[in-house]
Amino acid sequence: MRKIPTNSPSPAKAELPLDLTGPHITTGASAAHRLYQALCEMIVSGLVKPGEPLPPSRSLAKQTGFRRNAVVTAYERLIADGFAEATVGSGTFVAARIPARAAGPNKQKAVVEAPRQGAFSLGCTHIDARAVQHFRAFVGRRMRAFGSEHLHYGDPRGSRELRAAIADHLLSARGLRCDPDQIMLTSGTLHALRIVLSAILKPNDQVWCEDPGYPAARKTITHCGNRAVHVPVDEQGLRVARGRATAPSARAAYVTPSHQFPLGVQMSMPRRLELLDWAKQAGAFVLEDDYDSEFRYDGAPLKALAGIDHLQRVIYMGTFAKTLFPGLRIGYCALPERLISDVTAARAALDRFPGTLMEGAVADMLNSGAFAANLKRVRKLYREARDALAETLETASGGALSVPVPSQGLHLVARFDPSIDLSVAAVAKQAAGAEGWLLADTYSRAQPLPGFVLGFSGHAVPQLVASAERLARESRTALRASGKPARRA
Ligand SMILES: Cc1ncc(COP(=O)(O)O)c(C=O)c1O
């Protein structure tokens, strides 16, 4: 073993700037190991310079209160790992070149933007106090009865009890008849999309996407290695003929037919049939994202596209993120019979099966009627919020904004006249400190319209009104500054 020299005290720092308690220290480790970690941290963070002498082991033992043996062991390890060098007779020195893996740890923290909850944020929900009370009681009861069903690996599709409750809900609420065996629980719509894409598509396969559309779904599609083909949307929904012309042999189409995101149009029956015809001819599948149909304010609920197709070519995706709350992370898809085994295998390969702890409580919510009662109460609140927001924006903007009132959903679109520069909306949004989205940000290739996508669910009406007044005021100001008069869009 190499002899550890004792440094002459004069050139070394009298006291080393050691941190023996920071996050780099392993609590409970030996004194030698902790000292080694503190020395490494000191060297790596540049508190001592390459080539600088380290104090003799005796001095460092005195400074730290550790035994000299511990100091010698720490120095030995430091030398062995290349952080220090020893010269017999001269002492121990910080290495002239610090090992690359240690010298260059990226101290910059990754920036992960926290989800926003401010004015017009999308994806907020109101949790009715009675629903929370019911949910707590159901969770409590299920936890007290905690049994073997949670102790083993389970069905990749999730609990049959919850799948059966969802099948009942889909039949009564969406006119979609399916067997619980066709349902797979997921941790939300995007998760369902990912599982299904990985089961039915090959890398580089084309997927039609609505333009404008839901940016998160588009991202999932490209993250899965598939190619998003941007198909424009008009007042009847996805322009199927354009999809056929651009990518006739795409393998799938992702659509929001009941309430197009973000424009809010409902896909007309001729378009639905046209889309299903294409899917049949092309041997493609339609991915129906039915994200907000439980929140219908006017008229009877529409049958899901999957209901029209009898789950032959359509894969239906639903979520409890809006009907209950996003943190639950429970969504589901209903699958054509022919896809059950492939999608189940893909799920097993991805993350095996869904967490079991909350499934029972969600089934209790559905089966007890607490889910439907909650929907009825929050639907009323959201309708009031929608009306207050639309009315305030229209009035306070003096005609600068046109605000079609959506007949369902949790957001609305407020638009400037199409001739207005897109920057007007960006300036107004920034000046008003509004969240929500710029309508232009939901476009890919189609000519974007100037305006906003504004969430109204889960926001208190007085705050919504105040924020709408501010946004309308800033819209008028930005419009004036752009040299365009505020006229009805
Ligand atoms: C169009 C659309 N689909 C689906 C969802 C729900 O996604 P998830 O269930 O993954 O939370 C949202 C949420 O905002 C949405 O806007």
Side-chain angles (χ1 to χ4, degrees), residues 384-407:
E384 285 163 11
R386 173 199 70 168
D387 293 345
L389 175 58
E391 199 182 311
T392 310
L393 284 173
E394 282 265 9
T395 316
S397 71
L401 290 168
S402 133
V403 191
V405 180
S407 54

Side-chain angles (χ1 to χ4, degrees), residues 169-470:
H169 166 70
L170 289 178
L171 182 59
S172 60
R174 307 296 298 117
L176 174 59
R177 185 179 297 280
C178 65
D179 190 272
D181 279 348
Q182 290 174 273
I183 292 179
M184 173 176 287
L185 305 179
T186 65
S187 43
T189 307
L190 297 180
H191 187 218
L193 185 59
R194 184 173 279 274
I195 295 168
V196 170
L197 289 174
S198 72
I200 65 172
L201 298 196
K202 294 195 296 301
N204 270 328
D205 276 352
Q206 292 175 309
V207 181
W208 291 1
C209 292
E210 296 166 328
D211 189 5
Y214 184 39
R218 224 182 275 141
K219 275 188 207 143
T220 298
I221 288 164
T222 40
H223 273 206
C224 286
N226 303 122
R227 278 182 294 155
V229 176
H230 308 289
V231 180
V233 171
D234 64 15
E235 63 290 345
Q236 291 196 63
L238 184 91
R239 294 179 61 184
V240 178
R242 288 286 291 274
R244 274 184 186 272
T246 318
S249 44
R251 305 310 301 141
Y254 162 83
V255 284
T256 49
S258 298
H259 188 229
Q260 202 276 331
F261 189 93
L263 298 179
V265 298
Q266 184 187 309
M267 191 184 276
S268 68
M269 189 52 83
R271 281 285 166 82
R272 289 174 184 234
L273 298 176
E274 210 184 332
L275 180 60
L276 295 177
D277 270 357
W278 164 75
K280 208 165 159 185
Q281 279 168 17
F285 287 96
V286 177
L287 300 149
E288 175 178 22
D289 180 356
D290 199 31
Y291 63 105
D292 66 4
S293 285
E294 286 90 352
F295 300 98
R296 182 139 194 100
Y297 308 112
D298 311 296
L302 297 155
K303 204 170 180 175
L305 186 60
I308 300 169
D309 166 68
H310 304 293
L311 277 177
Q312 292 300 305
R313 288 266 146 211
V314 179
I315 294 146
Y316 176 94
M317 299 180 291
T319 181
F320 290 110
K322 297 179 187 296
T323 49
L324 288 173
F325 50 94
L328 189 58
R329 288 293 81 210
I330 298 186
Y332 49 90
C333 54
L335 302 162
E337 291 263 4
R338 75 181 98 174
L339 294 184
I340 296 174
S341 39
D342 283 355
V343 176
T344 304
R347 194 333 162 24
L350 190 70
D351 63 342
R352 292 188 190 270
F353 71 108
T356 55
L357 293 180
M358 291 292 146
E359 290 172 335
V362 177
D364 290 342
M365 289 293 287
L366 286 160
N367 293 334
S368 66
F371 178 80
N374 174 60
L375 277 186
K376 201 167 159 196
R377 289 190 295 265
V378 293
R379 211 180 277 130
K380 187 165 168 288
L381 287 180
Y382 293 172
R383 185 196 190 109
E384 285 163 11
R386 173 199 70 168
D387 293 345
L389 175 58
E391 199 182 311
T392 310
L393 284 173
E394 282 265 9
T395 316
S397 71
L401 290 168
S402 133
V403 191
V405 180
S407 54
Q408 83 174 43
L410 312 177
H411 74 272
L412 56 71
V413 168
R415 292 196 329 230
F416 290 98
D417 184 273
S419 66
I420 301 297
D421 195 85
L422 296 179
S423 63
V424 169
V427 168
K429 181 172 176 292
Q430 168 85 21
E435 284 169 21
W437 298 352
L438 291 173
L439 181 55
D441 289 346
T442 64
Y443 282 80
S444 296
R445 298 266 186 283
Q447 177 66 37
L449 289 172
F452 312 104
V453 184
L454 306 172
F456 53 78
S457 61
H459 298 285
V461 169
Q463 271 98 319
L464 265 184
V465 168
S467 305
E469 281 169 348
R470 210 173 311 129

Side-chain angles (χ1 to χ4, degrees), residues 13-149:
K13 277 189 168 66
E15 289 240 316
L16 286 181
L18 284 176
D19 177 1
L20 286 156
T21 55
H24 51 282
I25 302 293
T26 311
T27 325
S30 68
H33 190 68
R34 282 180 285 137
L35 183 55
Y36 164 78
Q37 289 177 314
L39 287 162
C40 276
E41 179 68 15
M42 174 189 76
I43 294 169
V44 163
S45 47
L47 294 173
V48 288
K49 299 278 169 290
E52 203 172 302
L54 293 170
S57 50
R58 200 182 302 280
S59 314
L60 190 55
K62 200 165 165 210
Q63 177 192 331
T64 56
F66 291 140
R67 286 173 183 278
R68 194 163 164 230
N69 271 354
V71 177
V72 170
T73 307
Y75 272 180
E76 279 176 353
R77 169 108 193 259
L78 219 51
I79 292 165
D81 289 352
F83 291 102
E85 287 158 0
T87 313
V88 180
S90 306
T92 310
F93 300 83
V94 178
R97 297 186 64 194
I98 296 160
R101 76 187 153 78
N106 189 356
K107 284 278 171 194
Q108 277 178 348
K109 284 234 162 87
V111 181
V112 178
E113 229 181 275
R116 294 166 189 261
Q117 308 281 314
F120 312 128
S121 280
L122 289 117
C124 297
T125 52
H126 174 77
I127 315 298
D128 180 78
R130 270 167 287 185
V132 172
Q133 211 176 353
H134 278 119
F135 190 67
R136 279 212 184 107
F138 292 139
V139 171
R141 207 175 63 194
R142 293 280 179 161
M143 285 299 129
R144 285 190 293 279
F146 184 98
S148 60
E149 70 276 22

